[in-house]
Amino acid sequence: MAIRSLFSKKNEDGQEKGFPEGLMTKCPECRHIQLTKELEKNHKVCTKCDHHFKMTAQERVAYLLDEGSFVSMDDHLQTSNPLNFPDYVEKISVAKQQTGLSEAVLTGLGTLNGEEIVVAIMDSHFRMGSMGSVVGEKITRAVEKAIELRVPVIIFTTSGGARMQEGILSLMQMVKTSAALKHHSEEGLLFISIMTHPTYGGVSASFASIGDINIAEPQALIGFAGRRVIEETLREKLPNDFQTSEFLLEHGQLDAIFHRKDLRNQVAMLVKMHTRGGVQHD
């Protein structure tokens, strides 16, 4: 009651009002309630249990890149409705307004501790980070820009998979993005894939899994099909930690798991190691 009265106020009619919207945030893992400002200062990691909240693409840019260095690319690309899927265009328009993004991935140039890089950052707040033709095109163009500039590319993934409203065109993005990254690799350039919660479907089965270095955040769920589908197909119970980043690290599908407080410094070190003193190309 004392805590409630501390934050509650009464309106002109004497009725008690609740917390101002957005003031407090409850952790979905441990149920701890904390000030949203404190959570944001802690890079959106629960101060009690270390649960990693989802981040927006803009928040990841601010966290990862040197201040003021980011230059966005290809925001002009527009999603169409090739299959005339009902209400698809309207739903994309709503997602744009809610997130401030043109699509489910933000791409661009920037520097990390002074080293030039190209980034592609998916955002699960935009149609669950699903991959349609524009997402695939933006990632492909980002990789091609990295080849042109001869710099590393870093991709943050979070996705429910291919976007069903675009059918086979969505699945084609798996091949297109992977082919671009193959070219990037043949040029001797570094690709760091950073998988965040959740990374599923066609994204996990394509560019997310073919990094020169594959990294994940703690307790991120990563896989192709969902747990229930796999259990029903195999007709057996899967381990409790199945498809977590820890499970994948143990089974050799990841190179490292970094806590968010350490992620920037670790990635910066990897970029520096693979660019300083390396082979220079004309």
Side-chain angles (χ1 to χ4, degrees):
M1 179 64 71
I3 295 177
R4 182 179 180 183
S5 62
L6 177 64
F7 288 98
S8 299
K9 297 180 180 180
K10 292 186 178 181
N11 58 23
E12 294 178 355
D13 298 327
Q15 295 178 328
E16 191 175 80
K17 297 189 296 184
F19 297 134
E21 186 176 357
L23 176 66
M24 311 291 287
T25 300
K26 180 186 288 187
C27 176
E29 190 67 27
C30 71
R31 318 305 290 176
H32 174 62
I33 298 175
Q34 54 207 302
L35 287 168
T36 302
K37 286 186 177 180
E38 292 300 317
L39 180 66
E40 292 172 348
K41 286 181 182 179
N42 202 41
H43 305 303
K44 299 189 81 170
V45 176
C46 178
T47 56
K48 185 174 182 180
C49 74
D50 267 353
H51 170 74
H52 284 50
F53 285 74
K54 295 177 182 178
M55 297 182 79
T56 67
Q58 297 93 331
E59 287 171 336
R60 288 201 183 275
V61 165
Y63 167 71
L64 181 73
L65 299 177
D66 298 338
E67 186 175 358
S69 70
F70 180 69
V71 179
S72 185
M73 293 170 47
D74 299 316
D75 292 326
H76 65 284
L77 297 179
Q78 298 293 315
T79 300
S80 62
N81 191 3
L83 303 183
N84 294 317
F85 205 92
D87 301 324
Y88 180 44
V89 173
E90 291 77 7
K91 290 177 180 178
I92 291 296
S93 179
V94 170
K96 288 180 179 180
Q97 294 174 4
Q98 291 175 337
T99 63
L101 299 173
S102 62
E103 248 296 349
V105 66
L106 179 63
T107 59
L109 314 172
T111 60
L112 175 57
N113 285 1
E115 300 286 351
E116 188 174 12
I117 60 173
V118 170
V119 295
I121 304 173
M122 302 189 76
D123 193 326
S124 61
H125 300 88
F126 194 114
R127 305 295 300 162
M128 197 47 220
S130 53
M131 180 171 64
S133 54
V134 171
V135 169
E137 179 66 16
K138 290 189 70 173
I139 291 173
T140 299
R141 290 191 184 196
V143 174
E144 290 172 345
K145 175 59 71 172
I147 295 171
E148 176 189 334
L149 299 176
R150 310 208 62 79
V151 298
V153 61
I154 298 174
I155 303 180
F156 283 83
T157 56
T158 176
S159 179
R163 190 172 294 172
M164 58 172 287
Q165 291 90 344
E166 295 185 29
I168 191 66
L169 295 177
S170 290
L171 297 178
M172 290 170 62
Q173 308 312 309
M174 298 170 62
V175 178
K176 183 165 73 175
T177 53
S178 298
L181 286 164
K182 174 64 174 175
H183 184 194
H184 186 266
S185 176
E186 289 172 345
E187 292 295 314
L189 302 171
L190 175 67
F191 165 37
I192 299 178
S193 176
I194 304 176
M195 288 170 262
T196 69
H197 178 77
T199 298
Y200 271 99
V203 169
S204 71
S206 56
F207 61 87
S209 300
I210 59 174
D212 297 305
I213 302 173
N214 292 322
I215 297 169
E217 291 186 328
Q219 289 297 309
L221 289 180
I222 303 164
F224 182 66
R227 181 190 186 94
R228 178 180 57 81
V229 173
I230 296 173
E231 286 186 334
E232 290 179 354
T233 301
L234 298 179
R235 296 184 180 181
E236 62 180 67
K237 186 71 174 175
L238 296 169
N240 290 333
D241 63 347
F242 181 70
Q243 291 187 329
T244 62
S245 49
E246 288 76 11
F247 182 90
L248 296 182
L249 179 64
E250 182 180 348
H251 289 80
Q253 291 184 264
L254 288 174
D255 296 302
I257 298 172
F258 293 138
H259 191 286
R260 194 172 289 163
K261 66 181 175 62
D262 302 319
L263 182 62
R264 186 185 192 277
N265 289 336
Q266 293 288 349
V267 172
M269 180 180 67
L270 290 170
V271 168
K272 185 175 182 179
M273 286 172 59
H274 287 82
T275 54
R276 292 289 177 87
V279 177
Q280 298 298 315
H281 298 270
D282 295 330

